[in-house]
Amino acid sequence: MEKLLSSVNSDYNNDKHNWYEIERQVTNIAKAGFTHTQWIHDWEAEYIYSPSEMFQARDLLKDLGIHAHSLHASEGGIRTIKENGKKIFQNRYRLTNIRKDYTSTNEYCRLAGVDLLKNRIDLCSHIGASVMVFHMQLPWKLFEESPQDKEDYYRQVCKSLDELEPYAKAAGVRMALENLIVTPWQVQEEQFDRMFNRYDSDFLGFTFDSGHATLMCRHDFYYFLRKYHKRMYATHLQENESISEELAKDDTAILEHDKHWVPMDPRGHGTLDWAEIAKWVAKSPVELPADFEVGIYGKDEQDEMEQLIACRKTAEKFYQMVLDEKKKGQS
């Protein structure tokens, strides 16, 4: 019988910036029986991994027998802040407080942002990950108000990706753009079309975040999945409840509904058709197992571990669903 594979995010419990918590979570992932992880620690802000830390991450995974086939990079800066007790996502206009931003019109900041992404490509090489997920935050209100600023933005993005392409290819790492929250789906679609028309599939692909899709693609949760599945190299599989149209322009409400529940929760959380998602994952070039990106907390350590084991069993179930779909396609 074929071994069932499973993958969960390395920061399933928290993204605290210390090695004690990193090691605790990755160790728990191994104890719970997962075979793979997506390394997501430091997915935000401007932290640079030193070579010794890359070896530390490599050895931690190796000693525990956990494979990392993907990693979540940071595009620099912190965009989720609290203002008057409410979560605010700062992406309607360009932020001025980011020192490493590969989209920046300031050439020094842009080059620093390229260095940040190269740092994560290096980390991929150390831990054995072949896919690097990243964000392209789109200042969409600025785009609406100034077509010239939009073209300036894309010019800088392409300058950065042109520089990253040979570096990533030499490392054997594909970069994969993720669909986002708090960004209209039409703006994201233009981004994907521009980038995929310009860059080949050996360099640039797509990451499908199922939870983000329920919030931003309310007309069709699977729209991006169907359109871009042939370039899908990574997944962030999670469940959310979608939102009403009246809340769709409320950034705080969107952020609060990004729950990161475990898929196929027997309690009935969420709205997604996982058979449909399995069908498109099976048609994609994603290296299995597909990555879950969930939040697991628990009232104590035992409860956390029990939830983590239940998540692993669900990830194995989804893995089998994808295998079954692949067999259907071959018959």
Side-chain angles (χ1 to χ4, degrees), residues 229 275 278-284 320-331:
H229 74 277
K279 179 180 76 176
W280 290 103
V281 170
K283 293 180 179 181
S284 79
Q320 186 63 60
M321 289 167 66
V322 174
L323 291 186
D324 291 344
E325 287 292 338
K326 284 182 178 290
K327 289 175 184 174
K328 285 182 190 176
Q330 293 168 357
S331 61

Side-chain angles (χ1 to χ4, degrees), residues 19 30 33 72 83 117 124 179 259 261 284-285 299 322:
W19 275 100
H72 195 319
E83 202 171 83
L117 290 174
C124 283
N179 59 303
K259 298 293 189 182
W261 288 325
S284 79
K299 60 188 180 213
V322 174

